[in-house]
Every structure is written in structure tokens, then in C-alpha cells.
Short mmCIF file of all heavy atoms in Angstrom, two decimals:
data_model
loop_
_atom_site.label_atom_id
_atom_site.label_comp_id
_atom_site.label_asym_id
_atom_site.label_seq_id
_atom_site.Cartn_x
_atom_site.Cartn_y
_atom_site.Cartn_z
N VAL Z 1 0.86 -1.18 0.00
CA VAL Z 1 0.00 0.00 0.00
C VAL Z 1 0.90 1.24 0.00
O VAL Z 1 1.78 1.37 0.84
CB VAL Z 1 -0.92 0.01 1.24
CG1 VAL Z 1 -1.77 1.25 1.27
CG2 VAL Z 1 -1.78 -1.23 1.26
N THR Z 2 0.66 2.09 -0.94
CA THR Z 2 1.48 3.29 -1.03
C THR Z 2 0.98 4.35 -0.06
O THR Z 2 -0.14 4.27 0.45
CB THR Z 2 1.44 3.86 -2.46
OG1 THR Z 2 0.12 4.29 -2.73
CG2 THR Z 2 1.87 2.83 -3.48
N GLY Z 3 1.80 5.33 0.17
CA GLY Z 3 1.43 6.43 1.05
C GLY Z 3 0.25 7.21 0.52
O GLY Z 3 -0.55 7.77 1.27
N GLU Z 4 0.11 7.26 -0.80
CA GLU Z 4 -1.00 8.01 -1.41
C GLU Z 4 -2.34 7.37 -1.07
O GLU Z 4 -3.31 8.05 -0.79
CB GLU Z 4 -0.81 8.06 -2.93
CG GLU Z 4 -1.78 9.01 -3.61
CD GLU Z 4 -1.48 9.14 -5.10
OE1 GLU Z 4 -0.30 9.29 -5.45
OE2 GLU Z 4 -2.44 9.08 -5.87
N LYS Z 5 -2.40 6.05 -1.06
CA LYS Z 5 -3.65 5.36 -0.72
C LYS Z 5 -4.00 5.58 0.75
O LYS Z 5 -5.16 5.76 1.10
CB LYS Z 5 -3.55 3.87 -1.02
CG LYS Z 5 -3.62 3.54 -2.48
CD LYS Z 5 -3.64 2.05 -2.71
CE LYS Z 5 -3.75 1.76 -4.19
NZ LYS Z 5 -3.80 0.32 -4.45
N LEU Z 6 -3.00 5.55 1.62
CA LEU Z 6 -3.25 5.79 3.03
C LEU Z 6 -3.75 7.21 3.26
O LEU Z 6 -4.68 7.44 4.05
CB LEU Z 6 -1.98 5.55 3.85
CG LEU Z 6 -1.55 4.10 4.03
CD1 LEU Z 6 -0.22 4.04 4.77
CD2 LEU Z 6 -2.60 3.31 4.77
N CYS Z 7 -3.18 8.16 2.57
CA CYS Z 7 -3.58 9.55 2.72
C CYS Z 7 -5.02 9.73 2.25
O CYS Z 7 -5.80 10.42 2.89
CB CYS Z 7 -2.64 10.44 1.91
SG CYS Z 7 -2.99 12.20 2.09
N ARG Z 8 -5.39 9.08 1.15
CA ARG Z 8 -6.75 9.21 0.64
C ARG Z 8 -7.75 8.61 1.63
O ARG Z 8 -8.80 9.18 1.88
CB ARG Z 8 -6.87 8.50 -0.71
CG ARG Z 8 -8.19 8.77 -1.38
CD ARG Z 8 -8.32 8.09 -2.74
NE ARG Z 8 -7.21 8.39 -3.61
CZ ARG Z 8 -6.66 7.50 -4.45
NH1 ARG Z 8 -7.13 6.27 -4.52
NH2 ARG Z 8 -5.66 7.83 -5.22
N ALA Z 9 -7.41 7.48 2.21
CA ALA Z 9 -8.29 6.85 3.19
C ALA Z 9 -8.44 7.74 4.43
O ALA Z 9 -9.53 7.84 4.99
CB ALA Z 9 -7.75 5.48 3.58
N GLN Z 10 -7.35 8.36 4.83
CA GLN Z 10 -7.40 9.24 5.99
C GLN Z 10 -8.30 10.45 5.70
O GLN Z 10 -9.10 10.85 6.55
CB GLN Z 10 -5.98 9.72 6.31
CG GLN Z 10 -5.67 9.77 7.77
CD GLN Z 10 -4.21 10.10 8.00
OE1 GLN Z 10 -3.53 10.64 7.15
NE2 GLN Z 10 -3.73 9.76 9.18
N GLN Z 11 -8.19 11.02 4.52
CA GLN Z 11 -9.04 12.15 4.16
C GLN Z 11 -10.50 11.73 4.10
O GLN Z 11 -11.38 12.49 4.49
CB GLN Z 11 -8.61 12.73 2.81
CG GLN Z 11 -7.28 13.46 2.86
CD GLN Z 11 -6.81 13.90 1.50
OE1 GLN Z 11 -7.38 13.52 0.47
NE2 GLN Z 11 -5.76 14.71 1.47
N GLU Z 12 -10.76 10.54 3.61
CA GLU Z 12 -12.14 10.04 3.53
C GLU Z 12 -12.73 9.88 4.93
O GLU Z 12 -13.88 10.26 5.18
CB GLU Z 12 -12.18 8.71 2.79
CG GLU Z 12 -13.56 8.09 2.69
CD GLU Z 12 -14.53 8.89 1.83
OE1 GLU Z 12 -14.08 9.65 0.96
OE2 GLU Z 12 -15.74 8.76 2.05
N LEU Z 13 -11.96 9.34 5.86
CA LEU Z 13 -12.43 9.20 7.23
C LEU Z 13 -12.68 10.56 7.87
O LEU Z 13 -13.67 10.75 8.58
CB LEU Z 13 -11.42 8.41 8.07
CG LEU Z 13 -11.38 6.91 7.81
CD1 LEU Z 13 -10.27 6.26 8.63
CD2 LEU Z 13 -12.71 6.28 8.14
N HIS Z 14 -11.81 11.51 7.59
CA HIS Z 14 -12.00 12.86 8.13
C HIS Z 14 -13.28 13.47 7.58
O HIS Z 14 -14.05 14.09 8.31
CB HIS Z 14 -10.79 13.74 7.79
CG HIS Z 14 -10.91 15.13 8.29
ND1 HIS Z 14 -10.80 15.45 9.63
CD2 HIS Z 14 -11.15 16.29 7.65
CE1 HIS Z 14 -10.97 16.75 9.78
NE2 HIS Z 14 -11.19 17.29 8.60
N PHE Z 15 -13.53 13.30 6.28
CA PHE Z 15 -14.74 13.83 5.64
C PHE Z 15 -15.99 13.18 6.25
O PHE Z 15 -16.97 13.86 6.56
CB PHE Z 15 -14.70 13.58 4.14
CG PHE Z 15 -15.95 13.97 3.43
CD1 PHE Z 15 -16.26 15.29 3.19
CD2 PHE Z 15 -16.85 13.00 3.02
CE1 PHE Z 15 -17.43 15.65 2.54
CE2 PHE Z 15 -18.03 13.35 2.38
CZ PHE Z 15 -18.32 14.67 2.14
N GLN Z 16 -15.96 11.86 6.44
CA GLN Z 16 -17.11 11.16 7.03
C GLN Z 16 -17.36 11.62 8.47
O GLN Z 16 -18.51 11.81 8.88
CB GLN Z 16 -16.89 9.65 6.99
CG GLN Z 16 -17.04 9.07 5.61
CD GLN Z 16 -16.80 7.56 5.59
OE1 GLN Z 16 -16.42 6.97 6.61
NE2 GLN Z 16 -17.00 6.95 4.44
N ALA Z 17 -16.30 11.81 9.23
CA ALA Z 17 -16.46 12.27 10.61
C ALA Z 17 -17.04 13.68 10.64
O ALA Z 17 -17.93 13.98 11.45
CB ALA Z 17 -15.11 12.23 11.33
N ALA Z 18 -16.57 14.55 9.77
CA ALA Z 18 -17.09 15.93 9.72
C ALA Z 18 -18.56 15.93 9.30
O ALA Z 18 -19.36 16.70 9.83
CB ALA Z 18 -16.25 16.77 8.77
N THR Z 19 -18.92 15.06 8.36
CA THR Z 19 -20.31 14.97 7.91
C THR Z 19 -21.20 14.47 9.03
O THR Z 19 -22.30 15.00 9.25
CB THR Z 19 -20.41 14.02 6.70
OG1 THR Z 19 -19.56 14.50 5.66
CG2 THR Z 19 -21.83 13.93 6.18
N TYR Z 20 -20.75 13.47 9.78
CA TYR Z 20 -21.53 12.95 10.89
C TYR Z 20 -21.68 13.99 11.99
O TYR Z 20 -22.76 14.14 12.57
CB TYR Z 20 -20.88 11.68 11.43
CG TYR Z 20 -21.72 10.94 12.43
CD1 TYR Z 20 -22.95 10.42 12.07
CD2 TYR Z 20 -21.29 10.77 13.74
CE1 TYR Z 20 -23.74 9.75 12.99
CE2 TYR Z 20 -22.08 10.10 14.66
CZ TYR Z 20 -23.29 9.60 14.27
OH TYR Z 20 -24.08 8.94 15.19
N LEU Z 21 -20.63 14.74 12.27
CA LEU Z 21 -20.70 15.81 13.26
C LEU Z 21 -21.72 16.86 12.84
O LEU Z 21 -22.52 17.34 13.66
CB LEU Z 21 -19.33 16.45 13.46
CG LEU Z 21 -19.26 17.61 14.46
CD1 LEU Z 21 -19.65 17.15 15.86
CD2 LEU Z 21 -17.87 18.21 14.45
N CYS Z 22 -21.74 17.21 11.57
CA CYS Z 22 -22.72 18.17 11.05
C CYS Z 22 -24.14 17.63 11.24
O CYS Z 22 -25.05 18.37 11.64
CB CYS Z 22 -22.45 18.44 9.58
SG CYS Z 22 -23.60 19.59 8.82
N LEU Z 23 -24.34 16.35 10.97
CA LEU Z 23 -25.65 15.73 11.16
C LEU Z 23 -26.08 15.81 12.62
O LEU Z 23 -27.22 16.20 12.91
CB LEU Z 23 -25.62 14.27 10.70
CG LEU Z 23 -26.86 13.45 11.06
CD1 LEU Z 23 -28.04 13.87 10.22
CD2 LEU Z 23 -26.59 11.98 10.91
N LEU Z 24 -25.21 15.46 13.54
CA LEU Z 24 -25.55 15.48 14.95
C LEU Z 24 -25.90 16.90 15.42
O LEU Z 24 -26.87 17.09 16.16
CB LEU Z 24 -24.40 14.93 15.79
CG LEU Z 24 -24.11 13.44 15.62
CD1 LEU Z 24 -22.88 13.06 16.43
CD2 LEU Z 24 -25.30 12.60 16.00
N ARG Z 25 -25.13 17.88 14.98
CA ARG Z 25 -25.42 19.27 15.36
C ARG Z 25 -26.76 19.73 14.79
O ARG Z 25 -27.53 20.40 15.47
CB ARG Z 25 -24.32 20.19 14.87
CG ARG Z 25 -23.04 20.08 15.68
CD ARG Z 25 -21.98 21.00 15.14
NE ARG Z 25 -20.78 20.95 15.98
CZ ARG Z 25 -19.59 21.33 15.57
NH1 ARG Z 25 -19.41 21.81 14.35
NH2 ARG Z 25 -18.56 21.24 16.39
N SER Z 26 -27.03 19.34 13.55
CA SER Z 26 -28.28 19.74 12.91
C SER Z 26 -29.49 19.12 13.60
O SER Z 26 -30.52 19.77 13.79
CB SER Z 26 -28.27 19.36 11.44
OG SER Z 26 -27.24 20.04 10.76
N VAL Z 27 -29.38 17.85 13.99
CA VAL Z 27 -30.47 17.18 14.68
C VAL Z 27 -30.72 17.84 16.03
O VAL Z 27 -31.86 18.08 16.42
CB VAL Z 27 -30.18 15.67 14.84
CG1 VAL Z 27 -31.13 15.02 15.81
CG2 VAL Z 27 -30.24 14.98 13.49
N ARG Z 28 -29.66 18.17 16.74
CA ARG Z 28 -29.80 18.83 18.04
C ARG Z 28 -30.47 20.20 17.88
O ARG Z 28 -31.36 20.55 18.65
CB ARG Z 28 -28.42 18.99 18.69
CG ARG Z 28 -28.49 19.60 20.08
CD ARG Z 28 -27.14 19.69 20.71
NE ARG Z 28 -26.66 18.34 21.00
CZ ARG Z 28 -25.41 18.03 21.27
NH1 ARG Z 28 -24.49 18.97 21.29
NH2 ARG Z 28 -25.05 16.80 21.52
N GLN Z 29 -30.06 20.95 16.87
CA GLN Z 29 -30.65 22.26 16.64
C GLN Z 29 -32.13 22.13 16.22
O GLN Z 29 -32.97 22.90 16.68
CB GLN Z 29 -29.88 23.01 15.56
CG GLN Z 29 -30.35 24.42 15.34
CD GLN Z 29 -29.53 25.14 14.29
OE1 GLN Z 29 -28.85 24.52 13.48
NE2 GLN Z 29 -29.59 26.45 14.31
N HIS Z 30 -32.44 21.13 15.41
CA HIS Z 30 -33.83 20.91 14.99
C HIS Z 30 -34.70 20.59 16.20
O HIS Z 30 -35.81 21.11 16.33
CB HIS Z 30 -33.89 19.77 13.98
CG HIS Z 30 -35.28 19.38 13.63
ND1 HIS Z 30 -35.93 18.32 14.25
CD2 HIS Z 30 -36.17 19.90 12.75
CE1 HIS Z 30 -37.14 18.22 13.75
NE2 HIS Z 30 -37.32 19.15 12.83
N ARG Z 31 -34.22 19.75 17.09
CA ARG Z 31 -35.00 19.40 18.28
C ARG Z 31 -35.25 20.63 19.15
O ARG Z 31 -36.35 20.82 19.68
CB ARG Z 31 -34.29 18.32 19.09
CG ARG Z 31 -34.38 16.96 18.45
CD ARG Z 31 -33.71 15.92 19.31
NE ARG Z 31 -33.82 14.61 18.67
CZ ARG Z 31 -33.09 13.57 19.01
NH1 ARG Z 31 -32.20 13.68 19.98
NH2 ARG Z 31 -33.24 12.43 18.38
N ALA Z 32 -34.23 21.47 19.31
CA ALA Z 32 -34.39 22.67 20.13
C ALA Z 32 -35.42 23.62 19.51
O ALA Z 32 -36.30 24.15 20.21
CB ALA Z 32 -33.05 23.38 20.29
N LEU Z 33 -35.35 23.81 18.20
CA LEU Z 33 -36.32 24.67 17.52
C LEU Z 33 -37.72 24.09 17.58
O LEU Z 33 -38.70 24.80 17.76
CB LEU Z 33 -35.90 24.89 16.06
CG LEU Z 33 -34.66 25.75 15.85
CD1 LEU Z 33 -34.21 25.69 14.40
CD2 LEU Z 33 -34.92 27.18 16.28
N HIS Z 34 -37.82 22.78 17.44
CA HIS Z 34 -39.12 22.12 17.48
C HIS Z 34 -39.76 22.28 18.85
O HIS Z 34 -40.95 22.58 18.98
CB HIS Z 34 -38.96 20.64 17.14
CG HIS Z 34 -40.25 19.92 16.98
ND1 HIS Z 34 -40.86 19.26 18.02
CD2 HIS Z 34 -41.05 19.77 15.91
CE1 HIS Z 34 -41.98 18.73 17.59
NE2 HIS Z 34 -42.12 19.01 16.31
N ARG Z 35 -38.97 22.11 19.91
CA ARG Z 35 -39.49 22.29 21.27
C ARG Z 35 -39.97 23.72 21.48
O ARG Z 35 -40.99 23.96 22.12
CB ARG Z 35 -38.41 21.96 22.30
CG ARG Z 35 -38.37 20.52 22.73
CD ARG Z 35 -37.52 20.34 23.98
NE ARG Z 35 -36.18 20.89 23.84
CZ ARG Z 35 -35.13 20.22 23.37
NH1 ARG Z 35 -35.26 18.98 23.01
NH2 ARG Z 35 -33.95 20.79 23.28
N GLU Z 36 -39.22 24.68 20.95
CA GLU Z 36 -39.55 26.09 21.20
C GLU Z 36 -40.77 26.56 20.42
O GLU Z 36 -41.60 27.30 20.94
CB GLU Z 36 -38.36 26.97 20.83
CG GLU Z 36 -38.58 28.43 21.18
CD GLU Z 36 -37.31 29.25 21.01
OE1 GLU Z 36 -36.22 28.68 20.88
OE2 GLU Z 36 -37.44 30.48 20.99
N TYR Z 37 -40.91 26.11 19.18
CA TYR Z 37 -41.94 26.69 18.31
C TYR Z 37 -43.08 25.75 17.98
O TYR Z 37 -44.04 26.18 17.34
CB TYR Z 37 -41.30 27.17 17.00
CG TYR Z 37 -40.37 28.34 17.22
CD1 TYR Z 37 -39.00 28.18 17.10
CD2 TYR Z 37 -40.86 29.58 17.57
CE1 TYR Z 37 -38.14 29.24 17.31
CE2 TYR Z 37 -40.01 30.64 17.79
CZ TYR Z 37 -38.65 30.47 17.65
OH TYR Z 37 -37.81 31.51 17.87
N HIS Z 38 -43.03 24.50 18.37
CA HIS Z 38 -44.11 23.57 18.04
C HIS Z 38 -45.36 23.93 18.84
O HIS Z 38 -45.28 24.23 20.02
CB HIS Z 38 -43.69 22.14 18.36
CG HIS Z 38 -44.70 21.12 17.95
ND1 HIS Z 38 -45.00 20.88 16.64
CD2 HIS Z 38 -45.50 20.31 18.68
CE1 HIS Z 38 -45.94 19.94 16.58
NE2 HIS Z 38 -46.26 19.58 17.80
N GLY Z 39 -46.50 23.88 18.17
CA GLY Z 39 -47.77 24.21 18.83
C GLY Z 39 -48.08 23.25 19.96
O GLY Z 39 -47.70 22.09 19.94
N LYS Z 40 -48.79 23.73 20.93
CA LYS Z 40 -49.12 22.91 22.09
C LYS Z 40 -50.57 22.46 22.04
O LYS Z 40 -51.15 22.11 23.05
CB LYS Z 40 -48.85 23.70 23.37
CG LYS Z 40 -47.37 24.00 23.56
CD LYS Z 40 -47.15 24.86 24.78
CE LYS Z 40 -45.70 25.11 25.04
NZ LYS Z 40 -44.97 25.73 23.96
N GLY Z 41 -51.20 22.53 20.88
CA GLY Z 41 -52.58 22.10 20.76
C GLY Z 41 -53.53 23.28 20.93
O GLY Z 41 -53.13 24.43 21.03
N GLU Z 42 -54.79 22.97 20.97
CA GLU Z 42 -55.80 24.01 21.08
C GLU Z 42 -55.84 24.56 22.50
O GLU Z 42 -55.76 23.83 23.48
CB GLU Z 42 -57.17 23.42 20.72
CG GLU Z 42 -58.20 24.47 20.42
CD GLU Z 42 -59.44 23.88 19.79
OE1 GLU Z 42 -59.33 22.90 19.05
OE2 GLU Z 42 -60.52 24.42 20.08
N ARG Z 43 -56.01 25.87 22.60
CA ARG Z 43 -56.06 26.54 23.91
C ARG Z 43 -57.51 26.87 24.26
O ARG Z 43 -58.34 27.06 23.39
CB ARG Z 43 -55.24 27.81 23.89
CG ARG Z 43 -53.77 27.58 23.62
CD ARG Z 43 -53.06 28.91 23.53
NE ARG Z 43 -51.71 28.73 23.01
CZ ARG Z 43 -50.62 28.88 23.74
NH1 ARG Z 43 -50.72 29.22 25.00
NH2 ARG Z 43 -49.44 28.71 23.22
N SER Z 44 -57.75 27.00 25.54
CA SER Z 44 -59.08 27.37 25.99
C SER Z 44 -59.29 28.88 25.75
O SER Z 44 -58.32 29.63 25.63
CB SER Z 44 -59.24 27.07 27.48
OG SER Z 44 -58.44 27.95 28.24
N PRO Z 45 -60.55 29.32 25.69
CA PRO Z 45 -60.80 30.76 25.51
C PRO Z 45 -60.17 31.61 26.62
O PRO Z 45 -59.69 32.71 26.35
CB PRO Z 45 -62.32 30.87 25.54
CG PRO Z 45 -62.80 29.52 25.12
CD PRO Z 45 -61.79 28.55 25.63
N GLU Z 46 -60.13 31.09 27.83
CA GLU Z 46 -59.52 31.84 28.94
C GLU Z 46 -58.02 32.03 28.70
O GLU Z 46 -57.46 33.10 28.96
CB GLU Z 46 -59.76 31.12 30.27
CG GLU Z 46 -61.21 31.12 30.74
CD GLU Z 46 -62.05 30.02 30.08
OE1 GLU Z 46 -61.47 29.10 29.44
OE2 GLU Z 46 -63.28 30.10 30.18
N GLU Z 47 -57.36 30.97 28.23
CA GLU Z 47 -55.92 31.07 27.96
C GLU Z 47 -55.64 32.08 26.86
O GLU Z 47 -54.71 32.89 26.96
CB GLU Z 47 -55.36 29.72 27.53
CG GLU Z 47 -55.05 28.77 28.66
CD GLU Z 47 -54.43 27.51 28.12
OE1 GLU Z 47 -55.15 26.72 27.47
OE2 GLU Z 47 -53.22 27.32 28.34
N VAL Z 48 -56.43 32.02 25.79
CA VAL Z 48 -56.23 32.95 24.68
C VAL Z 48 -56.46 34.39 25.12
O VAL Z 48 -55.68 35.28 24.79
CB VAL Z 48 -57.17 32.59 23.50
CG1 VAL Z 48 -57.07 33.62 22.39
CG2 VAL Z 48 -56.85 31.20 22.97
N ALA Z 49 -57.50 34.63 25.89
CA ALA Z 49 -57.76 35.98 26.39
C ALA Z 49 -56.60 36.46 27.26
O ALA Z 49 -56.17 37.61 27.16
CB ALA Z 49 -59.06 35.99 27.19
N GLY Z 50 -56.07 35.58 28.09
CA GLY Z 50 -54.94 35.94 28.94
C GLY Z 50 -53.69 36.27 28.14
O GLY Z 50 -52.91 37.15 28.52
N LEU Z 51 -53.49 35.59 27.01
CA LEU Z 51 -52.31 35.85 26.19
C LEU Z 51 -52.32 37.26 25.61
O LEU Z 51 -51.26 37.88 25.45
CB LEU Z 51 -52.24 34.84 25.04
CG LEU Z 51 -51.81 33.42 25.41
CD1 LEU Z 51 -51.93 32.50 24.20
CD2 LEU Z 51 -50.39 33.39 25.92
N VAL Z 52 -53.50 37.76 25.27
CA VAL Z 52 -53.58 39.09 24.67
C VAL Z 52 -53.91 40.17 25.69
O VAL Z 52 -54.08 41.33 25.34
CB VAL Z 52 -54.59 39.12 23.50
CG1 VAL Z 52 -54.13 38.22 22.38
CG2 VAL Z 52 -55.97 38.73 23.96
N GLY Z 53 -54.03 39.79 26.96
CA GLY Z 53 -54.21 40.77 28.02
C GLY Z 53 -55.66 41.10 28.35
O GLY Z 53 -55.93 42.15 28.91
N PHE Z 54 -56.57 40.23 28.01
CA PHE Z 54 -57.98 40.45 28.32
C PHE Z 54 -58.44 39.48 29.39
O PHE Z 54 -57.80 38.45 29.63
CB PHE Z 54 -58.87 40.26 27.08
CG PHE Z 54 -58.64 41.28 26.01
CD1 PHE Z 54 -58.34 40.88 24.72
CD2 PHE Z 54 -58.74 42.63 26.27
CE1 PHE Z 54 -58.14 41.80 23.72
CE2 PHE Z 54 -58.55 43.57 25.28
CZ PHE Z 54 -58.24 43.15 24.00
N ARG Z 55 -59.58 39.79 30.00
CA ARG Z 55 -60.25 38.87 30.92
C ARG Z 55 -61.65 38.64 30.38
O ARG Z 55 -62.31 39.59 29.91
CB ARG Z 55 -60.36 39.47 32.32
CG ARG Z 55 -59.06 39.43 33.08
CD ARG Z 55 -59.26 39.76 34.54
NE ARG Z 55 -60.51 40.48 34.79
CZ ARG Z 55 -60.64 41.53 35.55
NH1 ARG Z 55 -59.58 42.03 36.14
NH2 ARG Z 55 -61.81 42.10 35.75
N LEU Z 56 -62.12 37.43 30.43
CA LEU Z 56 -63.48 37.14 30.00
C LEU Z 56 -64.46 37.64 31.05
O LEU Z 56 -64.17 37.58 32.25
CB LEU Z 56 -63.66 35.64 29.78
CG LEU Z 56 -62.86 35.03 28.63
CD1 LEU Z 56 -63.14 33.54 28.53
CD2 LEU Z 56 -63.19 35.71 27.32
N PRO Z 57 -65.61 38.13 30.61
CA PRO Z 57 -66.58 38.63 31.58
C PRO Z 57 -67.15 37.48 32.43
O PRO Z 57 -67.27 36.35 31.96
CB PRO Z 57 -67.67 39.26 30.71
CG PRO Z 57 -67.51 38.66 29.38
CD PRO Z 57 -66.07 38.28 29.24
N GLN Z 58 -67.47 37.79 33.67
CA GLN Z 58 -68.06 36.80 34.58
C GLN Z 58 -69.58 36.83 34.43
O GLN Z 58 -70.17 37.89 34.30
CB GLN Z 58 -67.69 37.11 36.02
CG GLN Z 58 -66.20 37.04 36.30
CD GLN Z 58 -65.66 35.62 36.18
OE1 GLN Z 58 -66.32 34.67 36.60
NE2 GLN Z 58 -64.48 35.49 35.61
N GLN Z 59 -70.18 35.66 34.45
CA GLN Z 59 -71.64 35.60 34.37
C GLN Z 59 -72.22 35.80 35.77
O GLN Z 59 -71.61 35.45 36.77
CB GLN Z 59 -72.07 34.24 33.82
CG GLN Z 59 -71.72 34.02 32.37
CD GLN Z 59 -72.24 32.70 31.86
OE1 GLN Z 59 -72.79 31.91 32.61
NE2 GLN Z 59 -72.05 32.46 30.59
N PRO Z 60 -73.45 36.33 35.84
CA PRO Z 60 -74.08 36.49 37.14
C PRO Z 60 -74.29 35.14 37.83
O PRO Z 60 -74.52 34.13 37.17
CB PRO Z 60 -75.43 37.13 36.81
CG PRO Z 60 -75.33 37.64 35.42
CD PRO Z 60 -74.25 36.85 34.76
N GLY Z 61 -74.18 35.12 39.11
CA GLY Z 61 -74.38 33.89 39.86
C GLY Z 61 -73.09 33.08 40.00
O GLY Z 61 -73.11 31.95 40.46
N GLY Z 62 -71.96 33.62 39.56
CA GLY Z 62 -70.68 32.92 39.72
C GLY Z 62 -70.37 31.91 38.65
O GLY Z 62 -69.41 31.18 38.75
N LYS Z 63 -71.21 31.78 37.63
CA LYS Z 63 -70.93 30.84 36.54
C LYS Z 63 -69.94 31.46 35.59
O LYS Z 63 -70.01 32.62 35.24
CB LYS Z 63 -72.22 30.48 35.80
CG LYS Z 63 -73.22 29.74 36.62
CD LYS Z 63 -74.42 29.39 35.77
CE LYS Z 63 -75.47 28.66 36.59
NZ LYS Z 63 -76.65 28.37 35.79
N GLY Z 64 -69.01 30.59 35.08
CA GLY Z 64 -68.08 31.03 34.05
C GLY Z 64 -67.07 31.90 34.57
O GLY Z 64 -66.29 32.57 34.64
#
């Protein structure tokens, strides 16, 4: 085996390692973004009103 073949194999391993590292970083970043921005499902009217700074009116007799 010549030195040229060894050098090529070494460069190939370095390229594969760098590609795998890029994949791992991208997956980690995707998970963080998904956790931060993924919807949490439907919200109740009270929650939505609270998000925009409103309060829902109270019904007479303590209902609602």
C-alpha cells in the first residue's frame, strides 16, 4: 500500500467524521427549535384571552 492510498483513506475518514458531526449538530438544533416553536394544541378561551391581556366577563351567579 502506497502512502498516497493511506492519505486518501485518511481524508475520507476525516470527511465522514465531519459529515456525521454536522448531522448530529443539525439534529440537536432541529429538536431545540421544534421544542420552542411547536404548537401545544388548542387553547381554551380563557388562555387565549390571557395571552392578549384580556379577561373574559363573569356571568351572574358565579358561573363562568
Side-chain angles (χ1 to χ4, degrees):
V1 178
T2 65
E4 189 175 316
K5 286 185 179 181
L6 287 176
C7 183
R8 189 179 307 142
Q10 220 173 21
Q11 289 174 350
E12 178 67 24
L13 286 176
H14 179 72
F15 175 76
Q16 287 179 355
T19 302
Y20 189 63
L21 179 62
C22 179
L23 170 71
L24 292 176
R25 286 179 176 159
S26 298
V27 167
R28 183 177 292 164
Q29 185 178 19
H30 173 264
R31 286 183 180 164
L33 290 170
H34 188 267
R35 271 194 306 271
E36 185 171 346
Y37 293 108
H38 184 68
K40 295 176 177 57
E42 196 168 327
R43 298 176 191 251
S44 70
E46 292 82 13
E47 279 184 290
V48 175
L51 286 174
V52 296
F54 294 125
R55 284 191 340 225
L56 294 180
Q58 297 292 321
Q59 292 183 355
K63 295 182 181 178

